[in-house]
Amino acid sequence: MDNTFEKRKKIIYDLICDDFYVPMKIKEIAMLLQIPREQREELKEVLNALEAEGRIYVSKRGKYAKGQAKRLTGTFQANARGFGFISREGEEEDIYIAEENRGGAFQGDEVEFVIIRQKDDSDRGRKRTEGKIVGVLSHRTVSIVGLYEKSRNYGFVRPDDQRIMKDIYIPAGREKGAMTGHKVVVELTSYGGDQKNPEGFVSEVIGHINDPGTDIMSIVKGFDLPVEFPEKVMNQAERVGKDVTPADMAGRRDLRDWQMVTIDGEDAKDLDDAVSLTKEGDCYRLGVHIADVTNYVQENSALDREALKRGTSVYLSDRVIPMLPHKLSNGICSLNAGEDRLALSCIMRVNAKGEVVDSEIAETVICVDERMSYTSVAKILEEQNPEEIRRYEGLVPLFERMAELSRILRKKRHQRGSIDFDFPETKMMLDENGRPVEIIPYDRNVATKLIEDFMLLANETVAEEYYWRQLPFLYRTHETPDDDKIRKLSTFINNFGYHIHVGNEVRPKEVQKLLGKVEGTPEEALISRLALRSMKQAKYTWENTGHFGLAAKYYTHFTSPIRRYPDLQIHRIIKENIRGRMTEERMAHYEKILPEVAMQSSVMERRAEEAERETVKLKKVEYMQERIGEEFEGVISGITKWGAYVELPNTIEGLVHVVNMTDDHYEYWEDRHELIGERTHHVYRLGQTVRVRVLETDRVQRTIQFGFVS
């Protein structure tokens, strides 16, 4: 809305809130303010806006009076820059909360708030509804990890989480022996106020900030990741983790004479999927054999409750926090080569077009022939390495068949519009103290892609079968993006000469086409990231709504029950169905528990992803800390009003802040996404190759500052 409209709102609101004001009809307000009859319609618009915001109300007799804004509740999500958002259950749109309207709320708090400004869909108008927090109903943040600093008569803790804006005051005697430089866990006793800092006591000293392992353990504690398993869980794992016996194999289909392999990273220890592949005429018989974890983790046992609580295994740079104890995850459940293992197998007949023409899911017993690595298989298929070919001579035809089928499946997915965001991952080499000695990009090779293709096909096949069986089930779903976000993306890419069709609903094929057009261009990284951010997050649901990113009608997670709880859960449902035990009573049981399982699994997945991301950021900062003053060549990956982001070939990204661009004063040209020097007219733009020097690093904020080298 324009300023004139806002000024009118303020004048009328101040009038109605005046102590001498009595409720009036619109005609009386117009006469009092000397508003001519022809402008009454504008007055009506102003009154309607104030009423919509809950600041005034109109009586049944049409009289306007000061109103109490309607109080709503939601969950507060803080931002490190001070502002935040409130999400409400069942509501698509988040409510924007300015820093001055947070009301002392912490990240994750359940809050009560009022709407103070409504969203305006006009071109020049406000794009978000704004609110003000008027009360905190319950605090979700009860402990904080941070850096302790001692003063003369007290101490304080600087929170690691930048979304917590104030230091935590620690009274004398409540620091538990912590000294300046210690990373600590603080239990909050008071949340403070406008003029008062939060207060707490040190419940645990993690270690000195420079001690090996303290950095990662601070992240572990900060995300409240469970490290140790309860004794009861460990005892149960010990009891059930025995070798496979003939009794265990009874009633199962024996596939031990099938040629099959596992293909994983070199350091993987929890091997939960094996693959077999033969060709019969024009059809392939693809077997995806998954560890039968449910044989060892019984429903509602101590093991099961702990697995649900954790939701997923968490893979940090120097350690794994597993969902299940190592006795199971690295032992009897892991499909180790040469050992009999219980499995749940999805066996598919796939034609030359990549279509599954027949499939079955069976309880099996298997014995893996070889534990392969992605590197070895890639050497055989891509490099034709004579040494690797000689070493795995008997398996080479199997790998060649796999590559052949993989190409067919990938082409079919591409034709239907499946989106492939192919960002290089970060691979880290750490020394014995956990310090990074090398950071390199880790691109997917032919071996990682073929395993991905086979797992995707198995997940789709299982999801489709159980959808049509109309049984309670868990799905992996990915909703269609919001129209607003796609429109913003469309507007942005128009500046670069690209177009995305925005009709009633965007289709995956349109996003896929866009990524194909920008491939190899300077703006590829930026547009790919923005396209990804325009997508919604995938989640677990008990209703099937399809997977937008994969352009799949049916999708689930079936292939990783050692490290993901949803996979474990659907294995139980599948086995009960196979055994003819899916009674009305059992169906009612699953219908009752699955919504909660889906929610818990989605929340724990988010937590794991955030912790993993923070670990990678921290190790990148540590790596560059040793290289302050050194120069590197990189590419400008982002341009903002506060500077240019530069990404190095090893995936490390840093900011060249405008205050460090000392050769000129640079202005941000938003429509061109360029920084242009006022005097020199020097231009910094996306995709430009530049040379930078490392200026400083911040381990607490996990940021890297670069400077341009002339």
Side-chain angles (χ1 to χ4, degrees), residues 31 80 143 175 197 218 264 301 320-321 346 381 447 519 527 539 609 641 649 695:
M31 287 172 64
S143 65
E175 72 278 4
N197 280 36
S218 296
D264 294 274
S301 63
V320 177
I321 300 175
C346 178
L381 293 174
E519 191 174 350
I527 291 178
K539 59 186 177 181
E609 286 172 350
K641 61 184 176 185
L695 300 182

Side-chain angles (χ1 to χ4, degrees), residues 317-421:
S317 58
D318 68 342
R319 72 195 74 193
V320 177
I321 300 175
M323 185 179 80
L324 297 169
H326 286 118
K327 180 75 177 177
L328 299 181
S329 61
N330 294 5
I332 192 63
C333 292
S334 186
L335 305 182
N336 301 329
E339 297 178 17
D340 291 345
R341 288 290 185 263
L342 306 181
L344 200 56
S345 298
C346 178
I347 303 162
M348 299 158 278
R349 279 184 67 237
V350 187
N351 67 18
K353 296 177 182 177
E355 300 163 337
V356 177
V357 293
D358 189 28
S359 66
E360 65 170 317
I361 306 167
E363 293 181 81
T364 59
V365 55
I366 64 172
C367 185
V368 170
D369 292 288
E370 193 71 56
R371 187 254 195 262
M372 298 297 300
S373 71
Y374 294 129
T375 306
S376 285
V377 175
K379 281 181 179 178
I380 292 166
L381 293 174
E382 287 183 325
E383 300 173 25
Q384 300 290 303
N385 184 289
E387 193 177 317
E388 293 293 313
I389 289 172
R390 201 160 41 247
R391 182 179 175 187
Y392 299 110
E393 188 177 0
L395 294 170
V396 170
L398 171 65
F399 300 140
E400 289 172 345
R401 279 195 301 275
M402 286 180 173
E404 190 178 275
L405 178 58
S406 172
R407 283 191 293 271
I408 293 169
L409 296 176
R410 193 158 285 261
K411 182 181 177 184
K412 182 175 183 291
R413 277 209 319 279
H414 187 269
Q415 285 171 341
R416 77 183 188 203
S418 179
I419 305 167
D420 188 8
F421 289 103

Side-chain angles (χ1 to χ4, degrees), residues 211-494:
D211 290 345
T214 296
D215 51 2
I216 300 297
M217 191 50 70
S218 296
I219 292 173
V220 169
K221 295 288 183 182
F223 283 96
D224 197 24
L225 296 169
V227 181
E228 304 297 331
F229 284 96
E231 187 179 354
K232 189 175 181 181
V233 172
M234 294 299 289
N235 291 340
Q236 199 170 85
E238 197 64 41
R239 284 198 305 275
V240 302
K242 308 294 184 189
D243 289 340
V244 176
T245 65
D248 293 325
M249 299 182 202
R252 287 177 175 266
R253 188 169 167 188
D254 192 341
L255 305 183
R256 285 177 292 179
D257 60 342
W258 284 25
Q259 186 184 53
M260 66 178 69
V261 294
T262 59
I263 308 177
D264 294 274
E266 280 86 350
D267 25 6
K269 294 180 176 65
D270 50 351
L271 316 177
D272 49 12
D273 56 87
V275 286
S276 62
L277 183 63
T278 57
K279 197 167 183 184
E280 301 159 350
D282 289 336
C283 279
Y284 299 86
R285 184 179 67 173
L286 172 64
V288 174
H289 314 278
I290 308 300
D292 187 358
V293 180
T294 57
N295 192 75
Y296 307 98
V297 181
Q298 302 297 314
E299 185 177 26
N300 214 26
S301 63
L303 273 167
D304 184 47
R305 289 195 298 272
E306 183 67 19
L308 176 58
K309 179 182 166 188
R310 293 178 178 230
T312 180
S313 296
V314 186
Y315 296 84
L316 305 179
S317 58
D318 68 342
R319 72 195 74 193
V320 177
I321 300 175
M323 185 179 80
L324 297 169
H326 286 118
K327 180 75 177 177
L328 299 181
S329 61
N330 294 5
I332 192 63
C333 292
S334 186
L335 305 182
N336 301 329
E339 297 178 17
D340 291 345
R341 288 290 185 263
L342 306 181
L344 200 56
S345 298
C346 178
I347 303 162
M348 299 158 278
R349 279 184 67 237
V350 187
N351 67 18
K353 296 177 182 177
E355 300 163 337
V356 177
V357 293
D358 189 28
S359 66
E360 65 170 317
I361 306 167
E363 293 181 81
T364 59
V365 55
I366 64 172
C367 185
V368 170
D369 292 288
E370 193 71 56
R371 187 254 195 262
M372 298 297 300
S373 71
Y374 294 129
T375 306
S376 285
V377 175
K379 281 181 179 178
I380 292 166
L381 293 174
E382 287 183 325
E383 300 173 25
Q384 300 290 303
N385 184 289
E387 193 177 317
E388 293 293 313
I389 289 172
R390 201 160 41 247
R391 182 179 175 187
Y392 299 110
E393 188 177 0
L395 294 170
V396 170
L398 171 65
F399 300 140
E400 289 172 345
R401 279 195 301 275
M402 286 180 173
E404 190 178 275
L405 178 58
S406 172
R407 283 191 293 271
I408 293 169
L409 296 176
R410 193 158 285 261
K411 182 181 177 184
K412 182 175 183 291
R413 277 209 319 279
H414 187 269
Q415 285 171 341
R416 77 183 188 203
S418 179
I419 305 167
D420 188 8
F421 289 103
D422 196 6
F423 297 114
E425 293 181 19
T426 302
K427 189 174 179 67
M428 297 189 180
M429 315 296 181
L430 307 179
D431 65 16
E432 63 277 5
N433 293 320
R435 297 197 70 81
V437 293
E438 189 179 9
I439 295 178
I440 56 174
Y442 181 71
D443 287 308
R444 294 183 297 170
N445 60 31
V446 65
T448 58
K449 287 177 181 176
L450 66 84
I451 288 298
E452 180 183 294
D453 293 333
F454 298 161
M455 298 305 123
L456 286 172
L457 190 66
N459 287 333
E460 286 188 52
T461 302
V462 171
E464 183 171 4
E465 175 165 339
Y466 276 80
Y467 173 79
W468 289 110
R469 285 184 180 275
Q470 297 185 317
L471 294 177
F473 210 63
L474 273 182
Y475 298 92
R476 179 69 169 177
T477 59
H478 186 216
E479 296 174 14
T480 302
D482 287 332
D483 291 344
D484 279 356
K485 288 191 174 181
I486 292 297
R487 272 196 289 270
K488 283 178 187 173
L489 176 66
S490 177
T491 303
F492 178 82
I493 64 175
N494 283 343

